[in-house]
Amino acid sequence: MIHLTENAVGELKRQMAAKQAEGQFVRIGVDTGGCSGMQYTVDFTAEKNTDDSVFENGDVKVVCDSISLVTINGLTIDFVDALVGGGFKFENPNASRSCGCGTSFQVAGAKAGPGPGNC
């Protein structure tokens, strides 16, 4: 399951309108990188792949591939509107460590990334 807070739904809808992506899916995934070894990916897409799970959050439909979902199942995404420290915030119950900026993470048993975990 991937959860979006009301603030995250509002910001994603605003961004979708700005990019003329209304009605598309929000693709959440994981890629290697960042200072903790893995980083979140967020994009808009009109396509749903056969291995995708779909999670409805209000008017926003999130898709996530089965490989990424293993490390982010239960993820909650929030949006904070602030001059300092604002933006999307990821709360991942599977993360054993997160970087200072909150966009990369590590799961138990995974090799850490190159940095000290505090961007």
Side-chain angles (χ1 to χ4, degrees):
M1 188 74 160
I2 296 176
H3 308 278
L4 301 175
T5 66
E6 191 174 313
N7 286 344
V9 168
E11 178 60 16
L12 286 167
K13 287 172 66 174
R14 187 193 69 72
Q15 289 186 18
M16 291 170 98
K19 294 182 180 188
Q20 298 180 340
E22 293 100 333
Q24 292 190 4
F25 296 104
V26 177
R27 178 167 299 283
I28 308 291
V30 175
D31 200 358
T32 56
C35 59
S36 293
M38 297 178 173
Q39 59 189 8
Y40 301 104
T41 60
V42 181
D43 201 4
F44 301 124
T45 182
E47 298 179 17
K48 177 191 165 299
N49 299 324
T50 57
D51 74 328
D52 284 341
S53 294
V54 179
F55 306 101
E56 293 192 32
N57 291 268
D59 295 338
V60 175
K61 291 183 182 178
V62 173
V63 292
C64 182
D65 67 271
S66 60
I67 294 172
S68 294
L69 191 57
V70 170
T71 57
I72 61 174
N73 193 25
L75 178 71
T76 297
I77 303 173
D78 190 15
F79 181 79
V80 177
D81 188 11
L83 289 175
V84 177
F88 287 103
K89 305 295 180 188
F90 300 88
E91 187 177 316
N92 185 351
N94 305 298
S96 61
R97 181 178 96 157
S98 295
C99 69
C101 66
T103 60
S104 72
F105 66 100
Q106 180 181 359
V107 293
K111 185 179 180 214
N118 60 0
C119 297

